[in-house]
């Protein structure tokens, strides 16, 4: 029998096609976790699946738009059919639209709220009933430093992430008796596709650097390892909170 406490647990990771979702998939795979990847870009998910295999586990890809109730229901059914169970749910899919409040269309606003917040509701509604009754479960919601502080042009994003933190706290209380922990991971700036425009713009890059006492962008592997820790038995007493991983941004 494997010595790894997470061996053969099943994790669903939304936004598993790239960025932080891919990093978390790889870190969990290294602990023996089987992975269900959810995103829209199948080719990119297949690349994550290849990296998961390299890390020593297996991943299956499930194409779905996490804002679409019907697609989420079909995806959940397919995942439960393929794996039989789910132990870990990582609500990571997210988008950011940066503009002033009066420039937002309602469709843009709804896209941010739907992707960053309502998707977590849809995924939890689909999987929580199947996570109960096992004496172990982990739900990780990808919150943000923007759950705590903000910048101009982030009304939709900050609203979604602050609300996701509230969702996290309430759900943690709802599921505590099941030993299912519910936590947020709140990253500062990490060098993923979402932040490419900011990294490539010398002015915004300098602004970001001025806010990070540790003086660098985060490395995606650091999120992966934090996720793996939160899923470990050692983290079983942590629930209803979030962990800032921001190089000191929010300490100021
Ligand atoms: P990326 O832009 O690199 O990746 C976003 C992921 O979300 C992709 O896998 C994308 O997959 C998926 N996604 C987006 N919309 C949908 C949708 N409608 N349905 C299904 N999947 C979707 O972002 P990051 O990896 O940087 O960010 C991951 C999470 O971390 C987000 O929630 C983000 O807000 C949060 N975060 C990131 C920070 C950072 O600095 N990078 C800082 C703070 C928080 P596909 O396009 O294939 O559907």
């Amino acid at each position: 029998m494997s010595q790894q406490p997470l061996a053969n647990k099943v994790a669903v990771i939304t936004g598993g096609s790239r960025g932080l979702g891919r990093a978390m998939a790889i870190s969990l795979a290294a602990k023996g976790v089987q992975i269900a990847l959810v995103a829209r870009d199948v080719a990119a998910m297949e690349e994550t699946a290849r990296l998961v295999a390299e890390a020593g586990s297996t991943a299956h890809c499930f194409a779905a738009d996490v804002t679409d109730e019907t697609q989420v229901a079909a995806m959940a059914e397919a995942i439960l059919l393929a794996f039989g169970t789910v132990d870990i749910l990582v609500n990571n899919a997210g988008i950011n639209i940066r503009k002033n409040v009066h420039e937002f269309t309602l469709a843009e606003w709804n896209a941010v709220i739907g992707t960053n917040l309502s998707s977590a509701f849809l995924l939890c509604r689909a999987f929580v009933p199947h996570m109960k009754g096992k004496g172990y479960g982990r739900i990780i919601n990808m919150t943000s430093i923007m759950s705590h502080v903000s910048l101009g042009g982030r009304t939709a994003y900050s609203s979604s992430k602050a609300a996701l933190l509230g969702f996290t706290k309430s759900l943690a209380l709802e599921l505590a008796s099941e030993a299912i922990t519910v936590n947020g991971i709140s990253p500062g700036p990490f060098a993923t596709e979402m932040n490419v425009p900011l990294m490539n713009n010398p002015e915004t890059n300098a602004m970001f650097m001025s806010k990070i006492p540790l003086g660098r962008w985060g490395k995606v592997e650091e999120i992966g390892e934090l996720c793996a820790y939160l899923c470990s038995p050692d983290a079983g007493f942590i629930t209803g909170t979030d962990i800032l991983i921001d190089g000191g941004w929010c300490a100021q």
Side-chain angles (χ1 to χ4, degrees):
M1 206 171 98
S2 168
Q3 298 301 304
Q4 298 215 56
L6 296 183
N8 298 319
K9 298 258 188 252
V10 175
V12 176
I13 303 179
T14 70
S17 55
R18 58 175 190 262
L20 304 184
R22 175 177 285 174
M24 290 187 282
I26 293 167
S27 290
L28 288 178
K31 308 282 183 204
V33 178
Q34 299 176 62
I35 314 285
L37 298 166
V38 178
R40 295 161 301 179
D41 183 338
V42 174
M45 268 194 291
E46 282 169 354
E47 173 58 10
T48 304
R50 192 188 66 74
L51 295 166
V52 162
E54 256 181 32
S57 188
T58 53
H60 295 290
C61 305
F62 299 87
D65 180 336
V66 294
T67 66
D68 184 306
E69 185 175 17
T70 309
Q71 288 188 39
V72 169
M75 166 269 285
E77 200 180 323
I79 288 176
L80 290 163
L81 195 65
F83 291 96
T85 189
V86 166
D87 306 289
I88 296 164
L89 169 60
V90 183
N91 289 308
N92 164 74
I95 58 169
N96 195 353
I97 300 177
R98 304 175 184 95
K99 52 170 68 176
N100 293 327
V101 71
H102 61 276
E103 294 163 340
F104 265 91
T105 65
L106 182 58
E108 289 169 333
W109 175 272
N110 286 339
V112 175
I113 302 296
T115 310
N116 298 359
L117 175 64
S118 306
S119 68
F121 154 66
L122 291 175
L123 272 284
C124 288
R125 192 179 62 171
F127 287 114
V128 160
H130 304 275
M131 296 174 73
K132 287 181 169 180
K134 301 199 261 182
Y136 169 92
R138 297 286 185 266
I139 297 175
I140 295 175
N141 296 321
M142 198 51 62
T143 45
S144 169
I145 53 170
M146 298 291 144
S147 304
H148 300 268
V149 295
S150 201
L151 290 169
R154 307 301 198 282
T155 52
Y157 189 76
S158 274
S159 299
S160 70
K161 294 296 186 180
L164 186 58
L165 184 53
F167 176 93
T168 300
K169 292 177 183 176
S170 179
L171 188 61
L173 300 177
E174 216 170 290
L175 297 179
S177 63
E178 293 284 341
I180 299 173
T181 68
V182 187
N183 291 296
I185 291 178
S186 287
F190 281 70
T192 64
E193 205 160 301
M194 179 177 276
N195 284 327
V196 166
L198 302 175
M199 282 187 309
N200 290 346
N201 176 331
E203 204 175 303
T204 51
N205 189 50
M207 181 277 285
F208 270 66
M209 284 306 106
S210 75
K211 288 186 171 291
I212 307 171
L214 285 180
R216 65 170 173 85
W217 290 73
K219 299 178 198 154
V220 296
E221 299 78 15
E222 292 169 328
I223 297 285
E225 290 308 302
L226 178 54
C227 172
Y229 168 68
L230 283 174
C231 292
S232 73
D234 290 342
F237 202 55
I238 302 174
T239 198
T241 188
D242 71 320
I243 298 188
L244 284 159
I245 173 165
D246 67 351
W249 181 313
C250 289
Q252 300 169 89

